Amino acid sequence: MPPSTTTTLRQQRLGVELRKLRERAGLTSTAAAALLGGPQARISNIEAGRYAVSADRVRTLARNYRCADEAYVDALAAMTGGRRRGWWEEYRDTLPSNLLDLAEVEHHAATLRVAVTIHMPGLLQTTEHARAVMREAVPPMRPYEVEHRVSHRVKRQAVLFEGTPTPYTAIVHEAALRMGFGGPDTARAQLGYLLETSEQPTITILVIPFGEAGFPASGQPITCATGPVPQLDTVVLDTDHGCEFLDAEAQLGSYRSVLDRMASRALPEPKSRDLIHRIARDL
């Protein structure tokens, strides 16, 4: 089977996890290929996500690598599923690939936890707020580029409201509530939407108020998308140059701790809603 010319982040992640298993077993790719009964290039292409790999093949590799964690192996096998493409693929020619990868990560997440300090959480932005934020991009985007990104952002929000909604926690600094993107009317509508969505049983909004001593993060937006097992969690950092995806064990542990500490500095849900309401009333 020829290698695929494009790979999704999920395919790449499966390859990364298989490489981790091989390296923990102390095997070279050549030795792993010999156990599989094929050329070394097959292992390299599997680990790069360039070859489709079946669930049975994943289990064979895990057995060759002496992995006894059944839940982890089952989760890896479930990541195969052929090369199904999600709705985000319609944007492949119009948006950066990392935005497509972000939508894919959110789509497959068991839960989502985010922390923001300046912008509203992307999955809780109104259309007008999102449009106002996009218009502030440097360098400026053309109007049609803004609309492509706004459309993509709105479609991403389906994970919170359609089918079986993904449990979602947003830790929002008070600064984000007061930025006022788009002017008072847009800002007021955005805060009203936060209050409305916070009533959803699967959505939790926690606000860190001004005056809280210390701040355990750099200020960049953080998303932690949990997988079926902790090893398959993904942390997404929203940087000036695009989304950065982290999956190393030490990185995952570090950002889980950051989010835990930020949540501990936030107001409880009822008081968070009260603060959002006061800020909206004063606009």
Side-chain angles (χ1 to χ4, degrees):
M1 179 185 299
S4 173
T5 56
T6 61
T7 62
T8 70
L9 187 71
R10 188 170 172 84
Q11 293 163 7
Q12 295 171 20
R13 179 64 181 276
L14 175 58
V16 166
E17 295 300 319
L18 291 173
R19 190 195 71 236
K20 290 178 183 177
L21 286 179
R22 175 178 60 77
E23 291 175 345
R24 288 172 189 153
L27 294 174
T28 65
S29 57
T30 301
L35 288 173
L36 199 61
Q40 183 273 338
R42 179 177 299 172
I43 294 295
S44 297
N45 282 317
I46 288 174
E47 293 180 354
R50 291 190 291 265
Y51 274 177
V53 58
S54 68
D56 287 343
R57 178 60 55 86
V58 167
R59 294 184 188 282
T60 297
L61 289 169
R63 185 166 55 252
N64 290 346
Y65 301 155
R66 300 293 189 267
C67 178
D69 188 334
E70 293 185 9
Y72 178 43
V73 174
D74 287 344
L76 293 178
M79 292 175 69
T80 56
R83 290 185 177 274
R84 293 189 299 268
R85 300 291 182 169
W87 62 261
W88 47 88
E89 287 298 324
E90 68 187 78
Y91 291 89
R92 185 156 297 278
D93 294 331
T94 57
L95 294 180
S97 61
N98 64 73
L99 291 180
L100 278 62
D101 293 338
L102 174 60
E104 184 181 32
V105 166
E106 292 170 340
H107 175 79
H108 289 289
T111 67
L112 290 162
R113 184 164 59 151
V114 306
V116 293
T117 55
I118 300 298
H119 297 294
M120 296 292 179
L123 296 185
L124 297 179
Q125 290 183 11
T126 66
T127 300
E128 287 305 313
H129 178 92
R131 189 172 287 120
V133 171
M134 302 298 183
R135 287 172 178 161
E136 296 294 328
V138 178
M141 289 186 282
R142 295 179 175 86
Y144 71 86
E145 293 176 312
V146 170
E147 294 309 313
H148 282 319
R149 294 198 180 216
V150 170
S151 170
H152 178 263
R153 180 160 296 185
V154 169
K155 288 185 178 181
R156 285 170 46 211
Q157 297 173 357
V159 299
L160 302 187
F161 305 107
E162 297 181 6
T164 302
T166 302
Y168 182 83
T169 298
I171 307 166
V172 184
H173 197 281
E174 183 178 347
L177 303 177
R178 295 185 179 276
M179 287 300 293
F181 284 100
D185 289 343
T186 297
R188 192 178 299 111
Q190 173 63 68
L191 293 176
Y193 186 64
L194 283 185
L195 289 170
E196 177 186 340
T197 56
S198 72
E199 299 294 337
Q200 296 282 340
T202 54
I203 295 177
T204 300
I205 299 176
L206 305 174
V207 178
I208 300 177
F210 284 131
E212 180 65 35
F215 188 71
S218 64
Q220 63 188 346
I222 303 168
T223 297
C224 182
T226 63
V229 292
Q231 299 98 309
L232 296 179
D233 289 359
T234 301
V235 165
V236 186
L237 304 182
D238 188 357
T239 72
D240 289 339
H241 57 272
C243 297
E244 183 177 351
F245 300 89
L246 308 178
D247 54 49
E249 184 176 349
Q251 294 170 322
L252 294 176
S254 176
Y255 280 100
R256 289 187 195 109
S257 295
V258 168
L259 290 169
D260 287 344
R261 291 179 62 192
M262 292 183 74
S264 72
R265 304 286 176 87
L267 298 171
E269 286 186 78
K271 290 186 177 181
S272 291
R273 281 194 288 267
D274 288 344
L275 179 54
I276 295 171
H277 180 77
R278 290 199 303 272
I279 294 172
R281 183 191 58 203
D282 294 340
L283 287 173

